Short mmCIF file of all heavy atoms in Angstrom, two decimals:
data_model
loop_
_atom_site.label_atom_id
_atom_site.label_comp_id
_atom_site.label_asym_id
_atom_site.label_seq_id
_atom_site.Cartn_x
_atom_site.Cartn_y
_atom_site.Cartn_z
N ASN A 2 99.36 104.80 77.25
CA ASN A 2 100.60 104.96 78.04
C ASN A 2 100.58 104.25 79.37
O ASN A 2 101.53 104.34 80.14
CB ASN A 2 100.90 106.45 78.24
CG ASN A 2 99.79 107.15 79.05
OD1 ASN A 2 98.70 106.62 79.20
ND2 ASN A 2 100.06 108.36 79.49
N ARG A 3 99.57 103.49 79.69
CA ARG A 3 99.46 102.78 80.97
C ARG A 3 100.30 101.51 80.94
O ARG A 3 100.43 100.84 79.92
CB ARG A 3 98.02 102.42 81.31
CG ARG A 3 97.11 103.62 81.46
CD ARG A 3 97.52 104.39 82.69
NE ARG A 3 96.60 105.50 82.86
CZ ARG A 3 96.86 106.55 83.59
NH1 ARG A 3 98.01 106.63 84.23
NH2 ARG A 3 95.98 107.52 83.71
N LYS A 4 100.84 101.17 82.11
CA LYS A 4 101.66 99.97 82.23
C LYS A 4 100.80 98.83 82.72
O LYS A 4 99.86 99.00 83.49
CB LYS A 4 102.80 100.23 83.21
CG LYS A 4 103.80 101.21 82.66
CD LYS A 4 104.95 101.41 83.56
CE LYS A 4 105.89 102.35 82.83
NZ LYS A 4 106.91 102.90 83.59
N VAL A 5 101.15 97.65 82.25
CA VAL A 5 100.42 96.43 82.60
C VAL A 5 101.44 95.45 83.19
O VAL A 5 102.51 95.26 82.65
CB VAL A 5 99.73 95.80 81.39
CG1 VAL A 5 99.06 94.47 81.76
CG2 VAL A 5 98.71 96.74 80.79
N TYR A 6 101.05 94.87 84.33
CA TYR A 6 101.90 93.89 85.01
C TYR A 6 101.16 92.56 85.08
O TYR A 6 99.96 92.54 85.27
CB TYR A 6 102.25 94.37 86.41
CG TYR A 6 103.11 95.61 86.42
CD1 TYR A 6 102.53 96.88 86.37
CD2 TYR A 6 104.49 95.52 86.46
CE1 TYR A 6 103.34 98.00 86.34
CE2 TYR A 6 105.29 96.65 86.44
CZ TYR A 6 104.69 97.87 86.40
OH TYR A 6 105.50 99.00 86.37
N LYS A 7 101.94 91.49 84.98
CA LYS A 7 101.33 90.16 85.07
C LYS A 7 101.95 89.45 86.26
O LYS A 7 103.18 89.43 86.42
CB LYS A 7 101.60 89.39 83.79
CG LYS A 7 100.89 88.06 83.73
CD LYS A 7 101.00 87.46 82.33
CE LYS A 7 100.18 86.20 82.27
NZ LYS A 7 100.22 85.66 80.90
N GLN A 8 101.10 88.84 87.08
CA GLN A 8 101.58 88.10 88.25
C GLN A 8 102.05 86.72 87.86
O GLN A 8 101.41 86.02 87.10
CB GLN A 8 100.46 88.02 89.28
CG GLN A 8 100.90 87.38 90.59
CD GLN A 8 99.80 87.39 91.63
OE1 GLN A 8 98.67 87.75 91.35
NE2 GLN A 8 100.16 87.03 92.85
N GLN A 9 103.18 86.34 88.44
CA GLN A 9 103.68 84.99 88.25
C GLN A 9 102.78 84.03 89.02
O GLN A 9 102.36 84.32 90.13
CB GLN A 9 105.12 84.89 88.74
CG GLN A 9 106.12 85.56 87.84
CD GLN A 9 106.11 84.97 86.46
OE1 GLN A 9 105.58 85.57 85.52
NE2 GLN A 9 106.68 83.80 86.31
N PRO A 10 102.49 82.88 88.44
CA PRO A 10 101.66 81.90 89.16
C PRO A 10 102.27 81.49 90.50
O PRO A 10 103.49 81.35 90.60
CB PRO A 10 101.61 80.71 88.21
CG PRO A 10 102.01 81.25 86.88
CD PRO A 10 102.91 82.41 87.15
N ASN A 11 101.44 81.37 91.47
CA ASN A 11 101.86 80.92 92.82
C ASN A 11 102.92 81.80 93.48
O ASN A 11 103.76 81.28 94.22
CB ASN A 11 102.32 79.46 92.79
CG ASN A 11 101.27 78.55 92.26
OD1 ASN A 11 100.09 78.68 92.58
ND2 ASN A 11 101.66 77.62 91.44
N SER A 12 102.91 83.10 93.18
CA SER A 12 103.86 83.97 93.84
C SER A 12 103.31 85.39 93.89
O SER A 12 102.26 85.68 93.32
CB SER A 12 105.19 83.97 93.12
OG SER A 12 105.14 84.78 91.97
N ASN A 13 104.02 86.26 94.57
CA ASN A 13 103.62 87.67 94.62
C ASN A 13 104.53 88.51 93.77
O ASN A 13 104.68 89.72 94.02
CB ASN A 13 103.65 88.17 96.08
CG ASN A 13 102.57 87.50 96.91
OD1 ASN A 13 101.48 87.21 96.40
ND2 ASN A 13 102.83 87.28 98.17
N ILE A 14 105.12 87.93 92.75
CA ILE A 14 106.02 88.62 91.85
C ILE A 14 105.27 89.05 90.58
O ILE A 14 104.58 88.25 90.00
CB ILE A 14 107.26 87.76 91.49
CG1 ILE A 14 108.00 87.37 92.76
CG2 ILE A 14 108.16 88.45 90.52
CD1 ILE A 14 109.08 86.36 92.55
N PHE A 15 105.44 90.32 90.22
CA PHE A 15 104.79 90.85 89.00
C PHE A 15 105.84 91.30 88.03
O PHE A 15 106.89 91.83 88.43
CB PHE A 15 103.91 92.04 89.38
CG PHE A 15 102.72 91.69 90.20
CD1 PHE A 15 102.83 91.51 91.57
CD2 PHE A 15 101.48 91.55 89.59
CE1 PHE A 15 101.69 91.18 92.33
CE2 PHE A 15 100.35 91.21 90.34
CZ PHE A 15 100.47 91.03 91.71
N PHE A 16 105.58 91.11 86.76
CA PHE A 16 106.50 91.53 85.70
C PHE A 16 105.77 92.45 84.71
O PHE A 16 104.59 92.23 84.39
CB PHE A 16 107.04 90.30 84.92
CG PHE A 16 108.01 89.49 85.70
CD1 PHE A 16 107.63 88.31 86.28
CD2 PHE A 16 109.31 89.92 85.86
CE1 PHE A 16 108.52 87.56 87.00
CE2 PHE A 16 110.22 89.15 86.58
CZ PHE A 16 109.81 87.98 87.16
N LEU A 17 106.49 93.46 84.24
CA LEU A 17 105.95 94.34 83.25
C LEU A 17 105.79 93.63 81.93
O LEU A 17 106.67 92.91 81.49
CB LEU A 17 106.88 95.54 83.08
CG LEU A 17 106.46 96.62 82.10
CD1 LEU A 17 105.20 97.34 82.62
CD2 LEU A 17 107.59 97.68 81.93
N VAL A 18 104.58 93.77 81.33
CA VAL A 18 104.30 93.13 80.04
C VAL A 18 103.77 94.13 79.05
O VAL A 18 103.32 95.20 79.42
CB VAL A 18 103.29 91.95 80.20
CG1 VAL A 18 103.86 90.83 81.02
CG2 VAL A 18 102.00 92.44 80.84
N ASP A 19 103.85 93.77 77.79
CA ASP A 19 103.34 94.63 76.74
C ASP A 19 101.81 94.58 76.70
O ASP A 19 101.22 93.48 76.68
CB ASP A 19 103.91 94.15 75.37
CG ASP A 19 103.41 95.04 74.25
OD1 ASP A 19 103.71 96.24 74.26
OD2 ASP A 19 102.74 94.50 73.33
N ARG A 20 101.17 95.72 76.75
CA ARG A 20 99.69 95.77 76.84
C ARG A 20 99.03 95.15 75.63
O ARG A 20 98.10 94.34 75.76
CB ARG A 20 99.23 97.25 76.97
CG ARG A 20 97.78 97.42 77.18
CD ARG A 20 97.32 98.86 77.16
NE ARG A 20 97.54 99.48 75.84
CZ ARG A 20 96.69 99.36 74.83
NH1 ARG A 20 95.59 98.67 74.97
NH2 ARG A 20 96.94 99.93 73.67
N THR A 21 99.47 95.47 74.43
CA THR A 21 98.80 94.95 73.22
C THR A 21 99.02 93.44 73.10
O THR A 21 98.09 92.72 72.70
CB THR A 21 99.32 95.65 71.96
OG1 THR A 21 100.74 95.57 71.90
CG2 THR A 21 98.90 97.10 71.94
N GLU A 22 100.19 92.95 73.45
CA GLU A 22 100.46 91.51 73.39
C GLU A 22 99.60 90.79 74.43
O GLU A 22 99.03 89.74 74.13
CB GLU A 22 101.93 91.25 73.66
CG GLU A 22 102.32 89.79 73.50
CD GLU A 22 103.82 89.59 73.73
OE1 GLU A 22 104.61 90.41 73.25
OE2 GLU A 22 104.15 88.62 74.41
N THR A 23 99.50 91.35 75.61
CA THR A 23 98.66 90.75 76.67
C THR A 23 97.21 90.74 76.29
O THR A 23 96.49 89.75 76.49
CB THR A 23 98.87 91.49 78.00
OG1 THR A 23 100.25 91.50 78.30
CG2 THR A 23 98.11 90.82 79.10
N LEU A 24 96.74 91.84 75.66
CA LEU A 24 95.35 91.92 75.20
C LEU A 24 95.08 90.84 74.16
O LEU A 24 94.07 90.14 74.22
CB LEU A 24 95.05 93.30 74.64
CG LEU A 24 93.67 93.52 74.06
CD1 LEU A 24 92.58 93.24 75.09
CD2 LEU A 24 93.54 94.93 73.52
N SER A 25 96.01 90.67 73.24
CA SER A 25 95.87 89.64 72.20
C SER A 25 95.83 88.24 72.84
O SER A 25 94.97 87.43 72.43
CB SER A 25 97.05 89.75 71.25
OG SER A 25 96.97 88.74 70.28
N GLN A 26 96.69 87.97 73.80
CA GLN A 26 96.69 86.67 74.47
C GLN A 26 95.37 86.41 75.20
O GLN A 26 94.82 85.31 75.15
CB GLN A 26 97.86 86.57 75.44
CG GLN A 26 99.21 86.47 74.81
CD GLN A 26 100.34 86.59 75.82
OE1 GLN A 26 100.13 86.87 76.98
NE2 GLN A 26 101.55 86.41 75.33
N CYS A 27 94.86 87.47 75.84
CA CYS A 27 93.61 87.33 76.58
C CYS A 27 92.43 87.08 75.64
O CYS A 27 91.56 86.29 75.97
CB CYS A 27 93.36 88.56 77.46
SG CYS A 27 94.47 88.69 78.86
N LYS A 28 92.43 87.77 74.51
CA LYS A 28 91.38 87.52 73.49
C LYS A 28 91.43 86.11 72.99
O LYS A 28 90.38 85.47 72.82
CB LYS A 28 91.49 88.53 72.35
CG LYS A 28 91.03 89.92 72.69
CD LYS A 28 91.16 90.84 71.51
CE LYS A 28 90.63 92.23 71.79
NZ LYS A 28 90.80 93.13 70.65
N ASN A 29 92.65 85.59 72.75
CA ASN A 29 92.80 84.22 72.27
C ASN A 29 92.28 83.23 73.34
O ASN A 29 91.60 82.24 73.00
CB ASN A 29 94.26 83.93 71.94
CG ASN A 29 94.71 84.62 70.69
OD1 ASN A 29 93.89 85.06 69.86
ND2 ASN A 29 96.02 84.79 70.53
N THR A 30 92.63 83.49 74.59
CA THR A 30 92.15 82.64 75.68
C THR A 30 90.64 82.66 75.75
O THR A 30 90.01 81.59 75.91
CB THR A 30 92.74 83.09 77.01
OG1 THR A 30 94.17 83.06 76.94
CG2 THR A 30 92.28 82.22 78.16
N LEU A 31 90.04 83.82 75.61
CA LEU A 31 88.59 83.95 75.63
C LEU A 31 87.97 83.17 74.47
O LEU A 31 86.98 82.45 74.68
CB LEU A 31 88.18 85.43 75.55
CG LEU A 31 86.67 85.73 75.56
CD1 LEU A 31 86.01 85.17 76.79
CD2 LEU A 31 86.44 87.23 75.42
N ASP A 32 88.53 83.28 73.31
CA ASP A 32 88.04 82.52 72.16
C ASP A 32 88.10 81.00 72.40
O ASP A 32 87.16 80.27 72.09
CB ASP A 32 88.83 82.87 70.89
CG ASP A 32 88.54 84.27 70.40
OD1 ASP A 32 87.50 84.87 70.81
OD2 ASP A 32 89.35 84.78 69.59
N GLU A 33 89.20 80.54 73.01
CA GLU A 33 89.34 79.11 73.28
C GLU A 33 88.32 78.65 74.30
O GLU A 33 87.72 77.57 74.17
CB GLU A 33 90.75 78.82 73.80
CG GLU A 33 91.83 78.95 72.77
CD GLU A 33 93.22 78.90 73.36
OE1 GLU A 33 93.38 78.51 74.56
OE2 GLU A 33 94.19 79.22 72.63
N LEU A 34 88.07 79.48 75.33
CA LEU A 34 87.07 79.13 76.36
C LEU A 34 85.68 79.09 75.74
O LEU A 34 84.89 78.17 76.03
CB LEU A 34 87.07 80.14 77.48
CG LEU A 34 88.30 80.11 78.40
CD1 LEU A 34 88.30 81.32 79.32
CD2 LEU A 34 88.31 78.85 79.22
N LYS A 35 85.37 80.04 74.87
CA LYS A 35 84.06 80.07 74.21
C LYS A 35 83.88 78.84 73.32
O LYS A 35 82.81 78.24 73.27
CB LYS A 35 83.88 81.34 73.36
CG LYS A 35 83.63 82.57 74.18
CD LYS A 35 83.47 83.76 73.27
CE LYS A 35 83.13 85.02 74.01
NZ LYS A 35 83.00 86.19 73.11
N LYS A 36 84.97 78.45 72.62
CA LYS A 36 84.91 77.28 71.75
C LYS A 36 84.67 76.02 72.57
O LYS A 36 83.83 75.20 72.19
CB LYS A 36 86.22 77.17 70.98
CG LYS A 36 86.25 76.01 69.99
CD LYS A 36 87.59 75.95 69.27
CE LYS A 36 87.63 74.74 68.37
NZ LYS A 36 88.94 74.55 67.74
N ALA A 37 85.34 75.88 73.71
CA ALA A 37 85.17 74.72 74.58
C ALA A 37 83.75 74.67 75.10
O ALA A 37 83.10 73.62 75.16
CB ALA A 37 86.17 74.76 75.71
N HIS A 38 83.20 75.83 75.46
CA HIS A 38 81.84 75.92 75.97
C HIS A 38 80.85 75.53 74.88
O HIS A 38 79.89 74.80 75.13
CB HIS A 38 81.55 77.34 76.48
CG HIS A 38 80.27 77.44 77.23
ND1 HIS A 38 79.12 77.85 76.61
CD2 HIS A 38 79.96 77.24 78.52
CE1 HIS A 38 78.15 77.86 77.50
NE2 HIS A 38 78.61 77.51 78.68
N GLN A 39 81.07 76.01 73.67
CA GLN A 39 80.18 75.68 72.54
C GLN A 39 80.23 74.19 72.23
O GLN A 39 79.20 73.57 71.95
CB GLN A 39 80.56 76.49 71.30
CG GLN A 39 79.61 76.34 70.15
CD GLN A 39 78.20 76.84 70.50
OE1 GLN A 39 78.03 77.90 71.10
NE2 GLN A 39 77.19 76.08 70.12
N GLU A 40 81.41 73.61 72.29
CA GLU A 40 81.56 72.14 72.03
C GLU A 40 80.78 71.36 73.06
O GLU A 40 80.14 70.36 72.74
CB GLU A 40 83.01 71.76 72.03
CG GLU A 40 83.78 72.21 70.80
CD GLU A 40 85.27 71.95 70.86
OE1 GLU A 40 85.76 71.46 71.93
OE2 GLU A 40 85.96 72.26 69.89
N MET A 41 80.85 71.83 74.32
CA MET A 41 80.11 71.17 75.38
C MET A 41 78.60 71.27 75.13
O MET A 41 77.87 70.31 75.30
CB MET A 41 80.47 71.78 76.73
CG MET A 41 79.88 71.05 77.90
SD MET A 41 80.43 71.71 79.48
CE MET A 41 82.06 71.01 79.51
N GLU A 42 78.15 72.45 74.72
CA GLU A 42 76.72 72.65 74.41
C GLU A 42 76.31 71.73 73.27
O GLU A 42 75.24 71.11 73.36
CB GLU A 42 76.47 74.12 73.99
CG GLU A 42 76.60 75.13 75.13
CD GLU A 42 75.37 75.15 76.04
OE1 GLU A 42 74.26 74.91 75.55
OE2 GLU A 42 75.56 75.36 77.24
N ASN A 43 77.11 71.66 72.24
CA ASN A 43 76.79 70.82 71.10
C ASN A 43 76.75 69.35 71.48
O ASN A 43 75.88 68.62 70.99
CB ASN A 43 77.79 71.05 69.96
CG ASN A 43 77.64 72.43 69.33
OD1 ASN A 43 76.64 73.10 69.49
ND2 ASN A 43 78.70 72.87 68.64
#
């Protein structure tokens, strides 16, 4: 039941976002970062 807010880039404005959607986006971003790191290692 907790609310999640996301800050707009380069501003102090926050918008209410869906927690599960944001979690999914963050996981995808983490996977992309890990993939880029692994490619660099390889």
Side-chain angles (χ1 to χ4, degrees):
N2 61 346
R3 298 293 183 198
K4 292 183 176 167
V5 176
Y6 294 87
K7 187 171 185 176
Q8 185 176 9
Q9 286 300 105
N11 302 320
S12 78
N13 291 327
I14 300 172
F15 292 81
F16 289 101
L17 183 64
V18 293
D19 181 61
R20 185 186 65 83
T21 54
E22 185 177 317
T23 304
L24 177 59
S25 177
Q26 290 172 353
C27 288
K28 285 181 177 179
N29 289 341
T30 301
L31 179 59
D32 290 343
E33 290 171 12
L34 289 170
K35 285 180 176 179
K36 182 180 176 186
H38 189 267
Q39 187 62 44
E40 287 173 357
M41 187 175 283
E42 290 283 326
N43 291 344

